[in-house]
Amino acid sequence: MKADIDLQVAIDDHDGIPDLNTLSKWAVTALETGGRHEDAELTVRIVTPDEIRTLNREYRHLDRPTNILSFPFECPPEVKLPLIGDLVICMEILKKEAVEQRKTLDEHFAHLIVHGCLHLIGYDHIESVDAAVMEPLEIKALAALGYDNPYRDDEF
C-alpha cells in the first residue's frame, strides 16, 4: 500500500514540517492499522491559526483555532478513486502542544497525522465507546512507528 500526499504549506516558516516520505510512512501505518489496505491519496495542508480558526468556525461551529481538522472525502460508490480526504494542521499550535506535552515535534506531528488519517477512514472519538476503539489504534500505529503512547498523560 502507498499513500500519495499533496502537501500544501500556507505558512512562511517551514521549520519542523516533515518531508513527504515521512508523512507518507505515518499515513500508511495509520491507514493499515485502521484496516485500509488500498492505496490512498490525501492532502495535508499546513496553516496559520487564523485559517484553521476560520475552518473550525465554518465546519464545526467552534470559534477557536485547533491543532488539526479532518475532512473525509465521500466518493460515490460507483466511482473508484483512492482519495480519502484532507488534513489541515496548524503548525503554530502543534509546536506549542509538543512543548506543553513534553514531546518531540516529530512525535506530536506523527500523532496528529495518525489521528487525522483514522478520522478520514471513519473512526471517531466523540463518544467514549468510539474513543475506546480509536485510541488503541492510534497507540498501536504510533508504537509501530517507534513513538510512545500519546495518551500517557491523557492530553486529549
Side-chain angles (χ1 to χ4, degrees), residues 64-119:
R64 62 179 169 79
T66 187
N67 55 7
I68 185 169
L69 291 171
S70 304
F71 296 95
F73 175 66
E74 295 180 22
C75 192
E78 66 276 5
V79 178
K80 298 298 178 204
L81 287 175
L83 185 61
I84 60 171
D86 302 332
L87 300 178
V88 181
I89 296 174
C90 179
M91 193 69 180
E92 185 176 315
I93 292 174
L94 185 151
K95 286 180 178 181
K96 181 180 176 214
E97 289 177 345
V99 170
E100 291 170 351
Q101 296 169 18
R102 298 176 307 278
K103 296 178 181 177
T104 67
L105 191 56
D106 268 3
E107 183 178 18
H108 194 42
F109 211 126
H111 181 208
L112 291 185
I113 294 293
V114 166
H115 185 87
C117 283
L118 289 172
H119 276 308

Side-chain angles (χ1 to χ4, degrees), residues 22-86:
T22 301
L23 291 169
S24 180
K25 178 175 74 170
W26 294 343
V28 165
T29 301
L31 296 171
E32 288 180 341
T33 301
R36 181 183 172 101
H37 300 289
E38 302 88 24
D39 289 348
E41 293 178 7
L42 64 144
T43 297
V44 174
R45 182 170 172 82
I46 311 299
V47 301
T48 65
D50 287 341
E51 183 172 338
I52 207 158
R53 180 181 187 153
T54 299
L55 292 168
N56 204 22
R57 182 176 52 241
E58 184 174 337
Y59 291 99
R60 296 180 65 221
H61 309 291
L62 298 172
D63 191 14
R64 62 179 169 79
T66 187
N67 55 7
I68 185 169
L69 291 171
S70 304
F71 296 95
F73 175 66
E74 295 180 22
C75 192
E78 66 276 5
V79 178
K80 298 298 178 204
L81 287 175
L83 185 61
I84 60 171
D86 302 332

